[in-house]
Amino acid sequence: MSGTVESKLASLGIVVPAAAAPVANYVPTVISGNQLWISGQVSAADGKPITGKLGADADVELGRTAARQCAINIIAQIKAALGDLDRVTRVVKLNAFVNSAPDFTDQPKVVNGASDLFVEAFGDVGRHARSAVGVAGLPLGVAVEIDAVVEFA
């Protein structure tokens, strides 16, 4: 039976995918006390990367879509680690990295794709602190990578 958060996601047309396995020597999540630290999740859906360099060959809308997919992938990791998304009591922090051309400055608009989804899915619990940083490149040429910290009960 789906919980409240999964019902909200379903109403948005989102089915939580299986959590992606790590591709290098790290773990996807770490629990410390009542916090879950989620490793960076790249913009990929159905095993296919969402690629592009914002301000060069990708626009803000593609970036928002990529960031939203990162959020979905973070949610998948939360579900895998905690078993129930309704255990989340606070989305604490997102660190977002946007594959950016040197003169691209709309990283915050791109990362809103993820931030908006967390608020849609978790309500006020989903409001978080965040960083939105432009970088010269990301693994696989993806457009966005985001890591997160959440609190849970």
Side-chain angles (χ1 to χ4, degrees):
M1 180 96 182
S2 292
T4 305
V5 174
E6 285 201 57
S7 294
K8 287 180 187 175
L9 290 167
S11 74
L12 297 170
I14 297 169
V15 175
V16 179
V23 297
N25 189 15
Y26 64 92
V27 294
T29 60
V30 170
I31 291 176
S32 180
N34 68 334
Q35 291 188 331
L36 177 66
W37 293 67
I38 300 108
S39 294
Q41 300 297 300
V42 297
S43 53
D46 300 320
K48 297 176 185 165
I50 301 170
T51 61
K53 185 171 287 286
L54 280 290
D57 61 0
D59 62 12
V60 169
E61 194 53 40
L62 181 137
R64 283 181 54 82
T65 299
R68 185 175 179 91
Q69 187 60 50
C70 290
I72 292 168
N73 296 340
I74 289 168
I75 290 168
Q77 294 293 349
I78 295 169
K79 183 176 177 182
L82 302 180
D84 182 355
L85 296 173
D86 290 328
R87 291 184 63 194
V88 173
T89 58
R90 184 71 183 193
V91 178
V92 177
K93 176 80 190 255
L94 301 182
N95 290 304
F97 305 93
V98 179
N99 190 350
S100 301
D103 60 346
F104 183 76
T105 59
D106 283 334
Q107 290 85 0
K109 291 178 184 176
V110 168
V111 180
N112 280 344
S115 294
D116 292 348
L117 180 60
F118 280 110
V119 174
E120 288 176 279
F122 292 93
D124 283 341
V125 167
R127 296 190 186 285
H128 52 270
R130 77 169 198 205
S131 300
V133 180
V135 296
L138 289 169
L140 307 173
V142 296
V144 181
E145 179 174 354
I146 303 175
D147 65 46
V149 179
V150 301
E151 287 183 349
F152 66 93

